[in-house]
Amino acid sequence: MSIAALPPAVVRARRKVAVLVVVGAMVVGVAAWQAVARTARVGTGSSMWTPTTVLSGCASALGDAGEAFTVFAQGQTIHVVQSVLNTSRIPVVLTGGGGDALSVVFETELDSPGSVDDWTGTEDTLSRVAVPPGREAIAHVTWPADAFQGSSGVTYGIHVVPITVSALGVSRAVKVPLQGTVLVMPSVEAGTDAFRDQLASVCGP
């Protein structure tokens, strides 16, 4: 039985079709990979801690996170610990964001914090942390005492933590809501009448 050779034009056409199929599959694969990476999400974790007094019943209008959680006064370093939950189905890497004054670092262990009251900032921490699906990273968020300036009666509200989320090589900046608003009153000393009056004006009767 003889085997007839295909005409050159037919061979070239089949090669062109094969190349187009391979390229098309690569484009679909890259698109699917990008789509999966961009579905990576993180959210507010189960716990929030602070070394200062936790407020009760302060429905501050300064933030979008509901009631105020704590307040810092003149000369106090702002330090809040918020767990960050990986709500996606793939592992993510979290990197602290913010400006020159803001510091966001993560504990080396997931899900449960160390001693918040005794934290000095010299403990072993990570600037980046890998978080499997359904697990929580423990973020320490700090500003120096002089990061906030204001005239008498000025109150600042902090209600998000800037973090960069990376998954499958795709990174994007997000703002994770705190469980409660952090109030900062840089012009008054804690425990004074001025402090109590200003807090009452912010929280209401």
Side-chain angles (χ1 to χ4, degrees), residues 125-177:
T125 56
L126 303 170
S127 60
R128 293 163 53 90
V129 62
V131 187
R135 302 287 297 278
E136 295 185 359
I138 310 301
H140 285 258
V141 187
T142 58
W143 287 264
D146 60 354
F148 293 85
Q149 301 294 331
S151 56
S152 177
V154 173
T155 302
Y156 296 93
I158 305 168
H159 56 274
V160 295
V161 180
I163 288 176
T164 298
V165 180
S166 303
L168 301 177
V170 177
S171 299
R172 56 194 178 83
V174 301
K175 293 182 178 180
V176 179

Side-chain angles (χ1 to χ4, degrees), residues 67-113:
E67 290 192 352
F69 183 81
T70 189
V71 58
F72 291 87
Q74 185 182 79
Q76 293 181 324
T77 298
I78 295 98
H79 176 204
V80 177
V81 185
Q82 175 67 63
S83 61
V84 181
L85 173 64
N86 178 8
T87 59
S88 58
R89 298 181 179 179
I90 57 176
V92 299
V93 174
L94 305 183
T95 306
D100 294 334
L102 169 64
S103 170
V104 181
V105 295
F106 304 93
E107 293 195 6
T108 56
E109 300 294 330
L110 298 177
D111 300 321
S112 59

Side-chain angles (χ1 to χ4, degrees), residues 48-54 69-72 79-81 116-117 182:
M48 179 178 177
W49 304 266
T50 179
T52 58
T53 302
V54 175
F69 183 81
T70 189
V71 58
F72 291 87
H79 176 204
V80 177
V81 185
V116 177
D117 294 337
V182 175

